[in-house]
Amino acid sequence: MTRSAEPLSQAMVLLAKLEPSAPAKVQANLDAFSADAAELVLGFAFTDIVSREGIDLRTREMLTVAMLAAMATAPGQLEFHIRAAMNNGVTRGEIEEIILQVAVYAGVPACMNAISEAKKAFDVSIES
Amino acid sequence: MTRSAEPLSQAMVLLAKLEPSAPAKVQANLDAFSADAAELVLGFAFTDIVSREGIDLRTREMLTVAMLAAMATAPGQLEFHIRAAMNNGVTRGEIEEIILQVAVYAGVPACMNAISEAKKAFDVSIES
Amino acid sequence: MTRSAEPLSQAMVLLAKLEPSAPAKVQANLDAFSADAAELVLGFAFTDIVSREGIDLRTREMLTVAMLAAMATAPGQLEFHIRAAMNNGVTRGEIEEIILQVAVYAGVPACMNAISEAKKAFDVSIES
Amino acid sequence: MTRSAEPLSQAMVLLAKLEPSAPAKVQANLDAFSADAAELVLGFAFTDIVSREGIDLRTREMLTVAMLAAMATAPGQLEFHIRAAMNNGVTRGEIEEIILQVAVYAGVPACMNAISEAKKAFDVSIES
Amino acid sequence: MTRSAEPLSQAMVLLAKLEPSAPAKVQANLDAFSADAAELVLGFAFTDIVSREGIDLRTREMLTVAMLAAMATAPGQLEFHIRAAMNNGVTRGEIEEIILQVAVYAGVPACMNAISEAKKAFDVSIES
Amino acid sequence: MTRSAEPLSQAMVLLAKLEPSAPAKVQANLDAFSADAAELVLGFAFTDIVSREGIDLRTREMLTVAMLAAMATAPGQLEFHIRAAMNNGVTRGEIEEIILQVAVYAGVPACMNAISEAKKAFDVSIES
C-alpha cells in the first residue's frame, strides 16, 4: 500500500458520515491547538484506519463505542460515537446491548457512565 | 423478563460455542476458587448478557476483542476471545482490522499487545 | 446455590440501605435506558454479590470506595458510595484513611480526585 | 504531626507483618535499582500511610487487595497482598468475597485475573 | 539520605514555583479534607520526589504532563500541570508536541482530552 | 505540511536510533500479523510524530518511558523504551528519577512494575 500524503480531505469525508456537522467543528478545534494536529490525528484515525475496507463503518462504530465505554476515560467522545453509530445504522437496541456487554467486561461503573452518555445521545438522535 | 434461576447450564452451552473445550476447564478453574463463582460470574456474563438476542454472537465476540484489547489488562482472556471470535465466523482479516482500530482509540502499545495475543491465537486456529 | 430469578426487589432493599432515596432514582434512570437494565445490572451487583454474607455491608462499601477511587473513572459513583459507606457506619475518619491509602496504590491524582468527591459527600452527610 | 525523618526501620516492621520474609527481599530489590528508592517509596507507603491508626492492618490489606484487583495492572503485587491479607487474619472466604465484588466494579476479566493470583496465594498460604 | 521530618514548607516552595497562587489554595483544599493530608501527600510528591536533583523542574513538568495526559483520569490536574510547565519554561510548542505524542502511546481520545485541557491552560497563560 | 506517503523507511531510520537491532525484528513481527501494520502503525508513531522537531529524541524517549510506566499495561515495551532512552543519552540516574516520579502520579505498584523492567534494561545496557 501507499498511504495518502494529504489525508485531511478524505478524513473529513469520513467524519461527515459520522456526523454532518462534525468536520467544521473538529477541524476548528484542532487548528486552534496546533497547525498539524488535524492532518496528523485525523489522517491516522480516519484516513489510515477507520476508512479501511474489511469492516464496514457501521460495525466499526459499534467497536468504537465498545472501546470508549470500556476505557471510561472519554465521555464526550463516547457520546459523539454513540450518535455516529446511530447515524450509520446502528439501532438504539444495539447500543443498549453493547453497553450491557460493557458491564461484563469493564464493570458496572463503566456501564453506568456509558448509560449517561447514551441517554444524552438518544435525546438528540432521530432514532430514539 | 425473568432471569434464569439456574444459569449455569445455559452459560456452558454458550461457552462451548466459544470454544468446545472451554466449559470443563473454566468450571474447574472457578470451582477451585469458590463454590459459587461459576454460577455467579458465568451466569451473569454468558446467560444474562452475552446470550441475549439483539446482537449475534459473532458480532458480540468482535466487541469483546475490541474491549479487551483496548483495556490491555487481560492478555490471556484476549487470546481466548480472539480464538472464540474466529470459532464463530470472524475472519483473520477482521481480527487484523479490529486490532489496527485499537491503535487509534487506545494507542500503539495496546495494539502491539493485542498483536502478540492474536499471533498466539492464529497459531492454534483453523482459519489462520 | 440457586440464584434469585426475580432479583429486582432484593436489589432495591440493598440499594435503600445504601441511600434511602436511591431505589426510585436508580430504577428510573435505568428504565429510561433499557427495559432489562435494572434487573440485569442491579440483580448482579446487589442481589448476587453485594448482598452475600461473608463480608458485612459496611466493609463492602469501604472496598467499593477503595476500588472506585483507585480506578478514577466514575467520580459520580464514587461520591454516591462515599455517602453510602457513611450511611452504613463508616466514619469520616475512615473515609479519610481509605483515600490517603489510594495515594499509595493508585497515585496522588487519584487521591486528589477522590478528595473532591469526598468533600461533596461530606457536605450532604449527617456525620461530617 | 511530624513525620518520621528515618522511616525505613518502621516500614520494615510493617512489611514483616505482611510477610516475614519480605523486608530483606524488598529492600534488596529496591537498593539494586536506586540508593533512595527504599526509603522514599516504602517510607511513604508503609510508614506514612499504611501504619496509620484509624483503620487496622487487616482491613487495610482487604482494601489493598480490592484496589490492586480492580486496577488489574500489578498481578505480582496482588498475589503478595492476598498472602499478606491472609497473614493478617483475612480468611480465604473473605478473599473470595472481595474478588467476586471486583467483578461488579471492575468487570469479569479483572475478577478472573485476581482469581489466578488468589489461587497461587492460596497454594502457599497456611489458611487455604 | 535523611528525608525531611517537616516537609510542608519545602513542598510549598516547590508548589509556588509551579503556580504562585497554588500553595494557599491547595493547602486549604487538603486541610478541609483531613488534618494530615497536606503534609503526607505534598510532602511525598513535592519534597521527597519532585524537588530532587537529577532532573530539572522544567523537564519534570513535561513528564508529569505526559503521564497525566496518558492516564486520562485527572483532567483538572492535567490543566494545572500544563500551566505549571509553561510557568517553568516549557513552550506552547513543546506542550503541543507532548500531546501529539500522547496519541501514539495512549490513543487519540486521550490526546483529544488533553487538547481540551491545554486550550484552557493556554487561555490563562502568559505565553500562549 | 504534507505527510510522507511512504513513511516506512523513515520510521526504520528512527527505530534504528532507538535500538540498532530493532527495525528487522519489529517489521518481521508486524508483517507476520498483517500486510499493512508496519506502514500504518510505525508510520504514524515514528515518521509522523516521534520524528518531529520541537522536542529532541532524547527528551521524547523520557516522555515515552514516563507514559508507559504510568499506564502500566505494556511492560515489554516499557523495557524496550528504557533501553532506547539510554541508547539516546538518557542516563541511568535519569531513568531512576522518572520511575520515582511515577510513584507520585500513578502509584507505588506502577513504580514497582517499572523498576522490574528497568532492572532488565540495565542488565543489557552499556551504561548501567
Side-chain angles (χ1 to χ4, degrees):
Chain A
M1 63 170 286
T2 303
R3 71 174 195 175
S4 167
E6 293 186 346
L8 203 48
S9 60
Q10 188 183 341
M12 289 304 168
V13 171
L14 191 286
L15 193 50
K17 286 184 195 161
L18 298 185
E19 186 155 275
S21 66
K25 259 188 292 186
V26 172
Q27 178 145 18
N29 178 42
L30 290 171
D31 288 352
F33 171 69
S34 117
D36 298 338
E39 177 162 341
L40 292 175
V41 173
L42 303 181
F44 176 61
F46 294 142
T47 304
D48 289 359
I49 304 289
V50 180
S51 291
R52 284 171 64 84
E53 296 181 1
I55 298 183
D56 62 279
L57 185 57
R58 183 183 174 283
T59 305
R60 284 197 186 274
E61 283 303 303
M62 293 173 78
L63 296 168
T64 299
V65 168
M67 287 192 276
L68 290 174
M71 298 172 75
T73 50
Q77 292 166 69
L78 176 57
E79 191 212 334
F80 173 81
H81 283 285
I82 293 172
R83 280 187 279 124
M86 296 175 80
N87 289 337
N88 285 277
V90 178
T91 64
R92 178 174 163 156
E94 286 171 319
I95 297 292
E96 292 170 19
E97 293 302 322
I98 296 168
I99 290 175
L100 288 172
Q101 195 169 331
V102 166
V104 173
Y105 291 102
V108 169
C111 170
M112 299 292 279
N113 286 348
I115 287 174
S116 296
E117 299 312 314
K119 289 168 77 171
K120 289 183 216 163
F122 292 166
D123 282 347
V124 299
S125 156
I126 300 157
E127 205 264 354
S128 69
Chain B
M1 64 171 285
T2 302
R3 71 175 196 175
S4 168
E6 295 187 345
L8 203 48
S9 59
Q10 190 183 341
M12 289 303 168
V13 171
L14 191 283
L15 193 50
K17 287 184 194 162
L18 298 185
E19 186 155 275
S21 66
K25 257 188 292 185
V26 172
Q27 178 146 19
N29 178 41
L30 290 171
D31 288 352
F33 171 69
S34 116
D36 299 338
E39 177 163 341
L40 292 175
V41 173
L42 303 181
F44 176 60
F46 294 143
T47 304
D48 288 358
I49 305 290
V50 179
S51 290
R52 284 171 64 84
E53 297 181 359
I55 298 182
D56 61 280
L57 185 57
R58 183 183 175 283
T59 305
R60 283 196 187 274
E61 283 304 301
M62 294 174 78
L63 297 168
T64 298
V65 167
M67 288 191 276
L68 290 174
M71 297 172 76
T73 49
Q77 293 166 68
L78 176 57
E79 189 211 336
F80 173 81
H81 283 284
I82 293 171
R83 280 187 279 123
M86 296 175 80
N87 289 336
N88 284 278
V90 177
T91 65
R92 179 173 162 156
E94 287 172 317
I95 297 291
E96 293 170 19
E97 293 302 324
I98 296 169
I99 290 175
L100 288 172
Q101 194 169 333
V102 166
V104 174
Y105 291 102
V108 169
C111 170
M112 299 292 280
N113 286 348
I115 287 174
S116 297
E117 300 312 315
K119 288 168 77 172
K120 290 183 215 163
F122 293 166
D123 282 347
V124 298
S125 157
I126 300 156
E127 206 267 352
S128 72
Chain C
M1 65 170 284
T2 302
R3 71 173 195 175
S4 167
E6 295 186 345
L8 202 48
S9 59
Q10 190 183 341
M12 288 304 167
V13 171
L14 190 285
L15 192 51
K17 286 184 196 162
L18 298 185
E19 185 156 275
S21 66
K25 258 188 290 185
V26 172
Q27 177 146 17
N29 178 41
L30 290 172
D31 288 352
F33 171 69
S34 116
D36 299 338
E39 177 162 342
L40 292 174
V41 173
L42 304 181
F44 176 60
F46 294 142
T47 304
D48 289 358
I49 305 291
V50 179
S51 291
R52 283 171 65 84
E53 296 182 359
I55 298 184
D56 60 279
L57 185 57
R58 183 183 174 283
T59 306
R60 284 197 185 273
E61 284 303 301
M62 294 174 77
L63 297 168
T64 298
V65 167
M67 288 192 276
L68 290 174
M71 297 172 75
T73 49
Q77 292 166 70
L78 176 57
E79 190 213 335
F80 173 81
H81 282 285
I82 293 172
R83 278 187 279 124
M86 296 176 80
N87 289 336
N88 285 278
V90 178
T91 65
R92 179 173 163 158
E94 287 171 318
I95 297 292
E96 293 170 18
E97 293 303 322
I98 296 169
I99 290 176
L100 288 172
Q101 194 169 330
V102 166
V104 174
Y105 291 102
V108 170
C111 170
M112 299 291 279
N113 287 348
I115 287 175
S116 296
E117 300 312 315
K119 289 169 77 172
K120 289 183 217 164
F122 292 166
D123 282 346
V124 299
S125 156
I126 300 157
E127 205 265 354
S128 71
Chain D
M1 65 172 282
T2 302
R3 70 175 196 175
S4 167
E6 295 187 344
L8 203 48
S9 60
Q10 189 183 341
M12 289 303 170
V13 171
L14 190 285
L15 192 50
K17 287 184 195 162
L18 298 185
E19 187 156 273
S21 66
K25 258 188 293 185
V26 172
Q27 178 145 20
N29 178 41
L30 290 171
D31 288 351
F33 171 70
S34 116
D36 299 337
E39 177 162 342
L40 292 174
V41 172
L42 303 181
F44 176 60
F46 293 143
T47 305
D48 289 358
I49 305 289
V50 179
S51 291
R52 284 171 64 84
E53 296 182 358
I55 298 183
D56 61 279
L57 185 57
R58 183 183 174 283
T59 305
R60 284 197 186 273
E61 283 304 302
M62 294 173 78
L63 296 168
T64 298
V65 168
M67 287 192 276
L68 290 174
M71 296 173 76
T73 50
Q77 293 166 69
L78 176 57
E79 190 211 335
F80 173 81
H81 283 285
I82 293 171
R83 279 187 280 123
M86 295 174 80
N87 289 337
N88 285 277
V90 178
T91 64
R92 179 173 162 157
E94 287 172 318
I95 297 292
E96 293 170 20
E97 293 302 322
I98 295 169
I99 290 176
L100 288 172
Q101 195 170 330
V102 166
V104 173
Y105 291 103
V108 169
C111 170
M112 299 292 279
N113 286 349
I115 287 174
S116 296
E117 300 312 315
K119 289 168 78 172
K120 290 183 216 163
F122 293 166
D123 282 347
V124 298
S125 158
I126 301 157
E127 205 267 353
S128 71
Chain E
M1 64 169 285
T2 302
R3 71 173 195 176
S4 168
E6 294 186 346
L8 203 48
S9 59
Q10 189 182 341
M12 288 303 167
V13 171
L14 190 286
L15 192 51
K17 287 185 195 161
L18 299 185
E19 185 156 276
S21 66
K25 257 188 293 187
V26 172
Q27 178 146 17
N29 178 41
L30 290 172
D31 288 351
F33 171 69
S34 114
D36 298 338
E39 177 161 342
L40 293 174
V41 173
L42 304 181
F44 176 61
F46 294 143
T47 305
D48 289 358
I49 305 289
V50 179
S51 291
R52 284 171 64 84
E53 297 181 359
I55 298 183
D56 62 279
L57 186 57
R58 183 183 175 284
T59 305
R60 284 197 186 273
E61 283 302 302
M62 294 174 78
L63 296 168
T64 298
V65 167
M67 288 192 276
L68 290 174
M71 297 172 74
T73 49
Q77 293 166 70
L78 176 57
E79 190 211 335
F80 173 81
H81 283 285
I82 293 172
R83 281 187 277 124
M86 297 175 80
N87 289 337
N88 285 278
V90 177
T91 64
R92 178 173 162 155
E94 287 171 318
I95 297 292
E96 293 170 18
E97 292 303 323
I98 296 169
I99 290 176
L100 288 172
Q101 194 168 332
V102 166
V104 173
Y105 291 102
V108 170
C111 170
M112 299 292 281
N113 286 349
I115 288 174
S116 296
E117 300 312 314
K119 289 168 77 173
K120 290 183 216 164
F122 293 166
D123 282 347
V124 298
S125 158
I126 299 155
E127 206 265 354
S128 69
Chain F
M1 64 170 285
T2 302
R3 71 175 195 174
S4 166
E6 293 186 345
L8 203 47
S9 60
Q10 188 182 343
M12 288 303 169
V13 171
L14 190 285
L15 192 50
K17 287 184 195 162
L18 299 185
E19 186 155 275
S21 66
K25 257 187 292 184
V26 173
Q27 178 147 18
N29 178 42
L30 290 172
D31 288 352
F33 170 70
S34 114
D36 299 338
E39 176 163 341
L40 292 175
V41 172
L42 303 181
F44 175 62
F46 294 142
T47 305
D48 289 358
I49 305 288
V50 179
S51 290
R52 285 171 64 84
E53 296 181 359
I55 298 182
D56 61 279
L57 185 58
R58 183 184 175 284
T59 305
R60 283 196 186 274
E61 282 304 301
M62 294 173 77
L63 297 168
T64 298
V65 168
M67 287 192 277
L68 290 174
M71 297 172 75
T73 49
Q77 293 166 69
L78 175 57
E79 190 212 335
F80 173 81
H81 282 285
I82 292 171
R83 280 188 278 123
M86 296 175 79
N87 289 336
N88 284 279
V90 178
T91 65
R92 178 174 162 155
E94 286 171 319
I95 297 291
E96 293 170 19
E97 294 301 324
I98 296 169
I99 290 175
L100 288 172
Q101 195 169 331
V102 166
V104 174
Y105 291 103
V108 170
C111 170
M112 300 291 281
N113 286 348
I115 287 173
S116 296
E117 300 311 314
K119 289 169 77 172
K120 290 183 216 163
F122 293 166
D123 282 347
V124 299
S125 158
I126 300 157
E127 205 266 353
S128 71

mmCIF file of all heavy atoms in Angstrom, chain C residues 43-57:
data_model
loop_
_atom_site.group_PDB
_atom_site.id
_atom_site.type_symbol
_atom_site.label_atom_id
_atom_site.label_comp_id
_atom_site.label_asym_id
_atom_site.label_seq_id
_atom_site.Cartn_x
_atom_site.Cartn_y
_atom_site.Cartn_z
ATOM 1 N N GLY C 43 -29.475 -6.634 39.625
ATOM 2 C CA GLY C 43 -29.598 -8.024 40.084
ATOM 3 C C GLY C 43 -28.225 -8.635 40.319
ATOM 4 O O GLY C 43 -27.972 -9.268 41.359
ATOM 5 N N PHE C 44 -27.332 -8.439 39.365
ATOM 6 C CA PHE C 44 -25.975 -8.968 39.538
ATOM 7 C C PHE C 44 -25.248 -8.239 40.673
ATOM 8 O O PHE C 44 -24.739 -8.855 41.607
ATOM 9 C CB PHE C 44 -25.180 -8.834 38.230
ATOM 10 C CG PHE C 44 -23.748 -9.276 38.353
ATOM 11 C CD1 PHE C 44 -23.431 -10.578 38.718
ATOM 12 C CD2 PHE C 44 -22.714 -8.386 38.102
ATOM 13 C CE1 PHE C 44 -22.099 -10.988 38.840
ATOM 14 C CE2 PHE C 44 -21.386 -8.784 38.219
ATOM 15 C CZ PHE C 44 -21.083 -10.093 38.597
ATOM 16 N N ALA C 45 -25.215 -6.915 40.589
ATOM 17 C CA ALA C 45 -24.409 -6.146 41.536
ATOM 18 C C ALA C 45 -24.891 -6.342 42.969
ATOM 19 O O ALA C 45 -24.101 -6.676 43.869
ATOM 20 C CB ALA C 45 -24.444 -4.653 41.167
ATOM 21 N N PHE C 46 -26.167 -6.150 43.195
ATOM 22 C CA PHE C 46 -26.631 -6.060 44.575
ATOM 23 C C PHE C 46 -27.223 -7.372 45.106
ATOM 24 O O PHE C 46 -26.932 -7.760 46.232
ATOM 25 C CB PHE C 46 -27.633 -4.913 44.713
ATOM 26 C CG PHE C 46 -26.994 -3.565 44.488
ATOM 27 C CD1 PHE C 46 -27.665 -2.554 43.815
ATOM 28 C CD2 PHE C 46 -25.706 -3.301 44.945
ATOM 29 C CE1 PHE C 46 -27.073 -1.308 43.606
ATOM 30 C CE2 PHE C 46 -25.100 -2.062 44.736
ATOM 31 C CZ PHE C 46 -25.799 -1.069 44.064
ATOM 32 N N THR C 47 -28.043 -8.055 44.299
ATOM 33 C CA THR C 47 -28.656 -9.287 44.796
ATOM 34 C C THR C 47 -27.653 -10.440 44.791
ATOM 35 O O THR C 47 -27.533 -11.188 45.762
ATOM 36 C CB THR C 47 -29.886 -9.657 43.936
ATOM 37 O OG1 THR C 47 -30.781 -8.539 43.941
ATOM 38 C CG2 THR C 47 -30.593 -10.900 44.479
ATOM 39 N N ASP C 48 -26.923 -10.580 43.693
ATOM 40 C CA ASP C 48 -25.998 -11.715 43.574
ATOM 41 C C ASP C 48 -24.744 -11.524 44.424
ATOM 42 O O ASP C 48 -24.231 -12.483 45.000
ATOM 43 C CB ASP C 48 -25.547 -11.901 42.115
ATOM 44 C CG ASP C 48 -26.652 -12.422 41.210
ATOM 45 O OD1 ASP C 48 -27.768 -12.681 41.704
ATOM 46 O OD2 ASP C 48 -26.406 -12.553 40.003
ATOM 47 N N ILE C 49 -24.191 -10.327 44.440
ATOM 48 C CA ILE C 49 -22.849 -10.145 45.019
ATOM 49 C C ILE C 49 -22.880 -9.358 46.324
ATOM 50 O O ILE C 49 -22.489 -9.861 47.375
ATOM 51 C CB ILE C 49 -21.902 -9.448 44.007
ATOM 52 C CG1 ILE C 49 -21.848 -10.209 42.667
ATOM 53 C CG2 ILE C 49 -20.502 -9.295 44.618
ATOM 54 C CD1 ILE C 49 -21.164 -11.552 42.697
ATOM 55 N N VAL C 50 -23.310 -8.110 46.296
ATOM 56 C CA VAL C 50 -23.127 -7.257 47.475
ATOM 57 C C VAL C 50 -24.002 -7.713 48.653
ATOM 58 O O VAL C 50 -23.664 -7.478 49.814
ATOM 59 C CB VAL C 50 -23.345 -5.765 47.119
ATOM 60 C CG1 VAL C 50 -23.178 -4.866 48.334
ATOM 61 C CG2 VAL C 50 -22.364 -5.335 46.026
ATOM 62 N N SER C 51 -25.123 -8.368 48.368
ATOM 63 C CA SER C 51 -25.968 -8.905 49.457
ATOM 64 C C SER C 51 -25.383 -10.147 50.110
ATOM 65 O O SER C 51 -25.924 -10.604 51.128
ATOM 66 C CB SER C 51 -27.359 -9.294 48.910
ATOM 67 O OG SER C 51 -28.096 -8.168 48.552
ATOM 68 N N ARG C 52 -24.367 -10.741 49.545
ATOM 69 C CA ARG C 52 -23.861 -12.008 50.065
ATOM 70 C C ARG C 52 -23.329 -11.849 51.494
ATOM 71 O O ARG C 52 -22.761 -10.821 51.850
ATOM 72 C CB ARG C 52 -22.695 -12.507 49.197
ATOM 73 C CG ARG C 52 -23.160 -13.122 47.893
ATOM 74 C CD ARG C 52 -21.962 -13.381 46.989
ATOM 75 N NE ARG C 52 -21.053 -14.376 47.529
ATOM 76 C CZ ARG C 52 -21.200 -15.702 47.394
ATOM 77 N NH1 ARG C 52 -22.233 -16.165 46.714
ATOM 78 N NH2 ARG C 52 -20.343 -16.531 47.917
ATOM 79 N N GLU C 53 -23.510 -12.894 52.269
ATOM 80 C CA GLU C 53 -22.854 -12.950 53.571
ATOM 81 C C GLU C 53 -21.350 -13.158 53.352
ATOM 82 O O GLU C 53 -20.893 -13.367 52.253
ATOM 83 C CB GLU C 53 -23.427 -14.114 54.385
ATOM 84 C CG GLU C 53 -24.910 -13.906 54.685
ATOM 85 C CD GLU C 53 -25.493 -15.028 55.526
ATOM 86 O OE1 GLU C 53 -24.749 -15.978 55.858
ATOM 87 O OE2 GLU C 53 -26.692 -14.958 55.831
ATOM 88 N N GLY C 54 -20.597 -13.094 54.429
ATOM 89 C CA GLY C 54 -19.152 -13.353 54.310
ATOM 90 C C GLY C 54 -18.364 -12.074 54.528
ATOM 91 O O GLY C 54 -17.265 -12.107 55.091
ATOM 92 N N ILE C 55 -18.910 -10.960 54.023
ATOM 93 C CA ILE C 55 -18.386 -9.640 54.388
ATOM 94 C C ILE C 55 -19.609 -8.758 54.629
ATOM 95 O O ILE C 55 -20.549 -8.762 53.825
ATOM 96 C CB ILE C 55 -17.511 -9.028 53.266
ATOM 97 C CG1 ILE C 55 -16.275 -9.903 52.996
ATOM 98 C CG2 ILE C 55 -17.072 -7.618 53.644
ATOM 99 C CD1 ILE C 55 -15.311 -9.321 51.959
ATOM 100 N N ASP C 56 -19.593 -8.019 55.748
ATOM 101 C CA ASP C 56 -20.753 -7.178 56.064
ATOM 102 C C ASP C 56 -20.813 -5.971 55.124
ATOM 103 O O ASP C 56 -19.808 -5.588 54.514
ATOM 104 C CB ASP C 56 -20.679 -6.703 57.515
ATOM 105 C CG ASP C 56 -19.426 -5.894 57.772
ATOM 106 O OD1 ASP C 56 -18.359 -6.525 57.983
ATOM 107 O OD2 ASP C 56 -19.487 -4.656 57.723
ATOM 108 N N LEU C 57 -21.979 -5.364 55.030
ATOM 109 C CA LEU C 57 -22.217 -4.277 54.086
ATOM 110 C C LEU C 57 -21.298 -3.085 54.358
ATOM 111 O O LEU C 57 -20.814 -2.431 53.428
ATOM 112 C CB LEU C 57 -23.686 -3.838 54.149
ATOM 113 C CG LEU C 57 -24.117 -2.781 53.125
ATOM 114 C CD1 LEU C 57 -23.860 -3.246 51.700
ATOM 115 C CD2 LEU C 57 -25.589 -2.443 53.311
#
